[in-house]
Amino acid sequence: GYTFKGWDPEVPSTMPAENLTLVAQWEAIEYTITYHLDGGTNDGANPANYTIESATIILNAATKTGYTFDGWYDAETGGTKVESIPQGTTGDKALYARWIANQYTVTFDAQGGTVNPETKQVTYDSPYGELPVPEREGYTFDGWYTAEVGGSKITAEDKVSTADSHTLYAHWTVNQYTISFDSAGGTEVAAITLDYGEAVTPPANPTKTGYTFKGWDPEVPSTMPAEDLTLVAQWEAIEYSITY
């Protein structure tokens, strides 16, 4: 643990006319500590060097986003956990950080739809895995995103990169539906195609010689329903009089 630096006083070249006691001079060897962080950060919390005279070093934890520090080890795999370097230790040291990936809760916000389950446990830096498929009347599910509007789309294969519990938001595309009109022998009425929930303006009534238009069956809805419809014209024969 020491390097010999010489005698004090120096050894004379010839024997002096007196008895002498020479004292050895020593310098403590400085050893290095190398930290293998596996993506973590030491943040200067632990020394890079020590000597045989250094006070016992209690090793501090390193940090890594999304992980819990599991300790310092003297080998990359296996090995022995090292919590301190006692005073009087010698030799260069290589220490390896071990980590445990954190688990977080993902909450699914269906944004007007329904979803089951509403939460899921995920592991940082691992794929999200199977994601639930929500349902919403009149809409097609467009995927889970990191923001209510915009954001990044998240799929089952994407790795968890948010180091906290977080929410994923369902995005939707509104469906279009068509109302068709069967005039039952009357004049043709054009179909109406609109987004779900949009206001429906009833068409002009058809005509049919000898009949009075009585309405549609079923009635024209006030807003576009979540299905295609065919409405059938209802007619009543006109009663004519015969005068003799």
Side-chain angles (χ1 to χ4, degrees), residues 4-244:
F4 178 68
K5 302 300 290 182
W7 296 100
D8 184 25
E10 292 182 356
V11 178
S13 59
T14 59
M15 180 59 71
E18 60 180 338
N19 292 326
L20 290 177
T21 298
L22 308 185
V23 180
Q25 304 299 297
W26 300 97
E27 181 178 72
I29 298 171
E30 187 172 72
Y31 300 103
T32 60
I33 308 173
T34 303
Y35 300 93
H36 299 275
L37 295 165
D38 188 24
T41 303
N42 203 10
D43 292 330
N46 295 300
N49 307 95
Y50 78 101
T51 72
I52 196 172
E53 296 177 350
S54 298
T56 296
I57 298 168
I58 305 300
L59 294 167
N60 294 305
T63 58
K64 185 179 180 181
T65 299
Y67 289 82
T68 297
F69 182 66
D70 190 39
W72 296 107
Y73 287 78
D74 60 8
E76 188 170 0
T77 58
T80 301
K81 193 171 188 177
V82 179
E83 296 181 347
S84 66
I85 300 175
Q87 187 175 31
T89 302
T90 61
D92 293 334
K93 304 293 180 186
L95 299 177
Y96 298 83
R98 299 266 177 94
W99 305 98
I100 298 173
N102 294 338
Q103 285 198 327
Y104 301 107
T105 299
V106 174
T107 300
F108 300 101
D109 185 341
Q111 295 215 92
T114 58
V115 62
N116 184 33
E118 296 180 346
T119 62
K120 179 182 180 179
Q121 293 294 114
V122 295
T123 301
Y124 187 82
D125 213 23
S126 293
Y128 276 88
E130 184 178 1
L131 299 174
V133 178
E135 296 180 350
R136 185 180 179 187
E137 185 178 41
Y139 290 81
T140 297
F141 178 58
D142 190 39
W144 293 107
Y145 286 76
T146 57
E148 293 183 53
V149 178
S152 300
K153 189 173 185 177
I154 299 296
T155 67
E157 293 75 27
D158 287 324
K159 290 186 176 181
V160 179
S161 60
T162 301
D164 203 350
S165 293
H166 53 285
T167 300
L168 296 180
Y169 300 89
H171 284 197
W172 303 96
T173 299
V174 64
N175 296 337
Q176 284 196 330
Y177 298 97
T178 298
I179 300 175
S180 300
F181 298 93
D182 179 353
S183 293
T187 54
E188 185 176 344
V189 176
I192 298 173
T193 298
L194 294 171
D195 290 344
Y196 169 74
E198 281 196 285
V200 176
T201 300
N205 294 338
T207 59
K208 183 179 181 181
T209 301
Y211 290 86
T212 299
F213 178 68
K214 303 298 290 182
W216 298 100
D217 183 25
E219 293 182 352
V220 178
S222 59
T223 59
M224 182 60 72
E227 60 179 341
D228 293 329
L229 289 178
T230 297
L231 310 187
V232 180
Q234 304 300 297
W235 301 100
E236 183 178 71
I238 300 171
E239 187 175 69
Y240 299 98
S241 62
I242 305 172
T243 302
Y244 298 94

